[in-house]
Amino acid sequence: MERVYNFSPGPSALPLAVLEKAQKELVCYKNTGMSVMEMSHRSKMYLEIIQDAEKLLRELMSIPNNYKVLFIQGGASLQFSMVPLNLMKKGKADYICSGEFAKKAIQEAKRFGEINVVASSEDKVFSYIPEIDSSKFNKDADYFHITTNNTIYGTRFRTPPQTNGVPLVTDMSSSILSEEYNVSDYGIIYAGAQKNIGPAGLCIVIIREDLVTGTPNNVPVMMNYKTYVDNDSMYNTPPTYGIYMAKLGFEWLKDLGGVKAIQKLNEEKADYLYDFLDNSKLFRGTAVKEDRSMMNVTFVTGSEELDDKFVKEATKSGLENLKGHRSVGGMRASIYNAMDISGVKALVEFMKKFETENK
Ligand SMILES: *Cc1c(COP(=O)(O)O)cnc(C)c1O
């Protein structure tokens, strides 16, 4: 069977070149006579893989030397707990509630301390990024948490808030490596791998060194950032194959010209789709223009029945996983780094046709 255009929000499409390279190396990795999956994580060959993965990510994101790169299991959701467990010393944190994942992060953090929700966009189904009023910040907060890109609602922060020395922590799961970010704006960046990096099961954490010190004593060893720092993410067996796949993805991105180059392609893709939506008589985007995501494009026809029909017919035409999140309905096209512009063009062609047929 031919590969489809897969607009899945996550796990999502991977670059074909990455899959093919993995396929070629699946049974015998280089001259080892075994698969990466079968290798000791302490072997020389595997150490090379994990070290290369880190080196490539550092290069791609220009990560400063005073930041550690950690490979952790448990997805982005485990970070909803690890962040407060490790960072709460005074027991207070500021959060922006800009979507479903932000809400989950807040709920979890509330188990560990006093959470101040500085701003929320829940009143309008998270269709925008809320205005942030710094007079509402808690000067005493241990950290300030945002979600850079809201996967479900298709919005994003264009510039991170200024937090006056309070470490800014961001969930960057659905936009890491999609555009240039200044790592030193953040205390912690975390991202589940299954959107823009590789297969699920791996979470990348980029953490400023000073935030790894003074962790409360009762933090479980597997949930303590220091454990990962002190053991090069190998206190226990890391998700070895996921890290290998991430490495292949980083190589692919580097060959393509790095984040600057992919950002340009991502802008082209998003512009193409949003331009169509803005001029369509049937479809309309659901996120406010200024806050639109470059990775997740959410839209509706205005009729649930037509939305369903659209998703069904698109699937038949090889355009898959366009159904919006169960909490919002409608449609969502996730156009992460691995989605080629040809996929976006095919989607727009299909939408045009659907529009003519359903006037
Ligand atoms: C997908 C996603 C998550 C959840 O990731 P898991 O790996 O399933 O825990 C969290 N935050 C954002 C922004 C996401 O897009």
Side-chain angles (χ1 to χ4, degrees):
M1 175 178 180
E2 247 184 90
R3 279 174 63 81
V4 297
Y5 285 120
N6 180 6
F7 296 92
S8 170
S12 28
L14 290 167
L16 183 58
V18 166
L19 292 173
E20 283 174 341
K21 177 112 195 253
Q23 182 181 45
K24 224 170 118 212
E25 295 180 336
L26 180 72
V27 175
C28 272
Y29 180 72
K30 296 192 174 165
N31 61 355
T32 61
M34 62 179 87
S35 171
V36 173
M37 276 182 265
E38 302 169 304
M39 248 175 229
S40 161
H41 57 296
R42 313 251 177 229
S43 64
K44 192 169 161 282
M45 213 37 153
Y46 191 75
L47 287 183
E48 229 170 72
I49 292 173
I50 191 169
Q51 284 161 5
D52 279 353
E54 173 174 345
K55 204 170 119 231
L56 284 158
L57 183 66
R58 284 186 172 278
E59 230 179 282
L60 287 167
M61 292 184 72
S62 307
I63 300 174
N65 285 333
N66 62 327
Y67 283 76
K68 301 287 186 191
V69 173
L70 312 177
F71 300 100
I72 302 182
Q73 305 190 36
S77 300
L78 186 66
Q79 297 309 310
F80 298 166
S81 328
M82 275 182 78
V83 166
L85 269 171
N86 283 263
L87 262 50
M88 272 203 191
K89 284 145 202 172
K90 291 172 273 185
K92 292 174 185 171
D94 283 354
Y95 275 73
I96 304 289
C97 188
S98 57
E100 213 57 38
F101 291 114
K103 234 169 109 174
K104 277 187 160 176
I106 290 167
Q107 257 165 18
E108 182 63 7
K110 279 185 173 165
R111 292 151 53 82
F112 305 105
E114 195 186 307
I115 302 306
N116 171 34
V117 179
V118 172
S120 168
S121 50
E122 196 168 11
D123 60 338
K124 290 185 185 152
V125 210
F126 298 117
S127 55
Y128 66 103
I129 296 290
E131 199 72 46
I132 295 170
D133 171 2
S134 63
S135 73
K136 297 203 172 133
F137 293 10
N138 186 346
K139 287 190 188 66
D140 260 355
D142 288 309
Y143 63 92
F144 190 113
H145 184 280
I146 64 168
T147 313
T148 302
N149 183 75
N150 298 285
T151 322
I152 293 174
Y153 304 93
T155 63
R156 71 168 152 159
F157 278 87
R158 281 173 186 265
T159 46
Q162 294 296 316
T163 55
N164 301 319
V166 172
L168 182 61
V169 175
T170 192
D171 177 355
M172 214 181 255
S173 294
S174 50
S175 60
I176 190 167
L177 295 169
S178 68
E179 59 181 314
E180 290 186 296
Y181 294 108
N182 185 9
V183 173
S184 49
D185 287 342
Y186 304 90
I188 297 181
I189 295 172
Y190 64 87
Q194 69 271 31
K195 278 108 192 204
N196 239 350
I197 293 175
L202 167 68
C203 184
I204 302 244
V205 175
I206 303 165
I207 181 168
R208 211 174 61 209
E209 266 169 358
D210 60 288
L211 296 175
V212 184
T213 55
T215 312
N217 266 334
N218 59 356
V219 175
V221 66
M222 284 295 289
M223 295 180 78
N224 190 329
Y225 289 126
K226 192 162 187 301
T227 305
Y228 294 84
V229 170
D230 289 349
N231 296 282
D232 299 321
S233 298
M234 295 246 214
Y235 171 76
N236 75 328
T237 318
T240 51
Y241 200 72
I243 293 168
Y244 157 75
M245 289 293 290
K247 185 199 89 130
L248 295 186
F250 298 154
E251 280 169 348
W252 170 82
L253 185 50
K254 186 181 167 177
D255 288 346
L256 217 129
V259 177
K260 204 190 212 55
I262 201 86
Q263 176 171 345
K264 204 162 159 276
L265 294 172
N266 286 334
E267 281 164 357
E268 254 175 69
K269 287 181 326 198
D271 286 350
Y272 195 87
L273 189 43
Y274 284 123
D275 276 351
F276 170 74
L277 285 171
D278 289 342
N279 292 300
S280 166
K281 293 209 167 54
L282 178 63
F283 300 98
R284 72 177 168 81
T286 55
V288 309
K289 269 191 189 174
E290 315 78 88
D291 301 327
R292 281 172 166 174
S293 165
M294 223 171 24
M295 297 284 99
N296 311 99
V297 179
T298 48
F299 56 97
V300 291
T301 61
S303 142
E304 263 177 54
E305 218 174 288
L306 266 190
D307 288 353
D308 279 351
K309 186 175 175 202
F310 176 82
V311 171
K312 278 202 193 96
E313 289 187 4
T315 305
K316 276 191 214 140
S317 303
L319 305 164
E320 293 211 18
N321 291 314
L322 284 161
K323 198 171 163 59
H325 189 265
R326 59 186 184 278
S327 67
V328 273
M331 280 77 72
R332 168 176 48 172
S334 296
I335 48 174
Y336 299 115
N337 286 358
M339 174 59 68
D340 191 75
I341 184 126
S342 61
V344 175
K345 288 187 171 164
L347 173 60
V348 168
E349 276 320 299
F350 180 80
M351 289 167 83
K352 282 182 185 160
K353 188 170 142 270
F354 188 86
E355 186 168 328
T356 328
E357 290 167 0
N358 292 277
K359 267 198 266 212

